[in-house]
Amino acid sequence: MPGRSSFGPYCLRRFNAAPVAEAEAALLECYGSRRWAQRLAGHRPYPDLDALLAAADEAGYDLSPTDRTEALAIEVSPGLPPDAPHSAHLALAAAHAAYECRFGHVFVICLDDVRPAEHPDQVLAAIRARLGHEPEHERVVTADEMRRLARGRIIELVSSQ
């Protein structure tokens, strides 16, 4: 997952008022497509979070394969905590390698609704299941997971503390 923005937490009002370059930089950390970030930054102000999330979804659906490839290039495959057993690290590394060999990009999954203790099992099970997908079906699943990741990151970005 990309690093969090150095701009700190935003509220929606601050996001709407930020200079274009700053808003785009923050959005690129939510979803690594320049076209996507430019589109969302260019359509500000958003009246509420729901409108911003709807715009993010719409922009995600309109991306070209090149835009999606750009976004996938900055993603990091989900891993395990450092103290997990060595055998678990090996199993997950092998699963990630098989996925990347089959589909040509890192495995992405949104785990926002999954308890952290269940992440390793969910990731491994999802990789195994998705390895059986045809490439076109997996492209659709990956695009959906990327949109879900972006939504969670946007919520994090504009949530005030």
Side-chain angles (χ1 to χ4, degrees):
M1 181 158 95
R4 291 294 58 129
S5 173
S6 60
F7 303 116
Y10 279 82
C11 65
L12 184 61
R13 187 179 72 242
R14 180 171 174 224
F15 173 76
N16 281 333
V20 171
E22 184 177 318
E24 285 178 10
L27 287 164
L28 277 170
E29 292 189 24
C30 297
Y31 192 101
S33 163
R34 291 189 192 289
R35 183 169 166 244
W36 180 88
Q38 290 168 346
R39 180 172 169 179
L40 288 178
H43 284 96
R44 293 173 304 147
Y46 294 97
D48 54 39
L49 178 59
D50 288 339
L52 173 56
L53 294 174
D57 284 344
E58 182 180 331
Y61 285 114
D62 291 343
L63 293 176
S64 71
T66 302
D67 296 324
R68 285 190 192 94
T69 298
E70 178 187 22
L72 277 167
I74 69 159
E75 289 295 324
V76 176
S77 297
L80 296 172
D83 61 343
H86 181 67
S87 59
H89 283 282
L90 290 175
L92 189 57
H96 278 300
Y99 181 91
E100 289 178 30
C101 182
R102 174 147 168 74
F103 297 111
H105 58 81
V106 299
F107 174 78
V108 292
I109 186 171
C110 181
L111 297 168
D112 289 352
D113 297 330
V114 178
R115 292 185 343 206
E118 296 173 3
H119 286 186
D121 291 337
Q122 286 286 356
V123 169
L124 195 53
I127 291 174
R128 288 178 177 153
R130 288 168 56 184
L131 277 168
H133 290 172
E134 291 300 318
E136 180 57 26
H137 179 66
E138 183 56 21
R139 184 195 64 73
V140 171
V141 171
T142 297
D144 186 52
E145 291 296 321
M146 291 289 290
R147 280 188 297 278
R148 291 180 60 216
L149 284 168
R151 287 177 67 86
R153 292 169 183 167
I154 288 169
I155 291 167
E156 182 182 324
L157 177 72
V158 299
S159 295
S160 9
Q161 291 186 340

